[in-house]
Amino acid sequence: MDITIHYTFLPHTDAEAALGFYRDTLGFEVRQDVGFDGMRWITVGPPNQPETSIVLTPPAADPGITEDERATILELIAKGSFAALTLATDDLDGLFEKLQASGADVLQEPTDQPYGVRDCAFRDPSGNLLRINQRA
């Protein structure tokens, strides 16, 4: 059996800011940009991995969610406690410098972790936690 990760979902609170971060700063390609009823779902991914994508989705778009639940979800997103993603690169320090220069919200500079990983951490424009590992 061959199983791959095809899509994962991260919420965005500003489609243009998310697009600027994932496309212009990280260099991901836009695979789909779908609008419906004033909302946008933007699918992006690394150009060298066409089978793996991130869908940047409007938060709490489910019509079954109450306004109180929607407000709670938005608070959790803003705190970076709702969604997270770990990326990997061959050049952690170079990518860190690029993200820092873009004005991305730095949470942690490149660090050798006691559990054997060298990584750094950022928040995307919506507040989602992004950890980036140095590829071994």
Side-chain angles (χ1 to χ4, degrees):
M1 180 183 321
D2 181 23
I3 299 174
T4 61
I5 296 174
H6 193 54
Y7 290 107
T8 190
F9 293 79
L10 286 178
H12 73 73
T13 54
D14 179 329
E16 288 303 317
L19 195 56
F21 181 78
Y22 286 94
R23 180 193 59 203
D24 303 336
T25 303
L26 288 178
F28 287 179
E29 63 185 15
V30 176
R31 297 180 179 153
Q32 288 189 316
D33 190 341
V34 178
F36 175 75
D37 202 21
M39 297 181 281
R40 283 172 72 186
W41 286 258
I42 305 166
T43 304
V44 296
N48 62 340
Q49 296 178 340
E51 295 180 354
T52 303
S53 299
I54 301 167
V55 181
L56 304 167
T57 182
D62 184 337
I65 293 176
T66 68
E67 285 305 314
D68 286 344
E69 291 167 334
R70 192 176 325 277
T72 298
I73 289 170
L74 290 172
E75 288 175 19
L76 291 172
I77 291 170
K79 293 170 66 176
S81 301
F82 188 75
L85 180 68
T86 300
L87 305 172
T89 180
D90 291 332
D91 182 10
L92 180 65
D93 294 303
L95 182 54
F96 176 83
E97 290 175 16
K98 181 178 179 182
L99 287 167
Q100 188 176 39
S102 77
D105 185 8
V106 177
L107 297 178
Q108 176 204 301
E109 294 187 5
T111 302
D112 291 318
Q113 301 292 353
Y115 43 88
V117 172
R118 179 170 172 75
D119 68 358
C120 64
F122 289 87
R123 286 187 193 182
D124 76 5
S126 298
N128 298 305
L129 173 63
L130 295 181
R131 297 200 73 83
I132 304 172
N133 290 0
Q134 173 69 50
R135 190 174 292 129

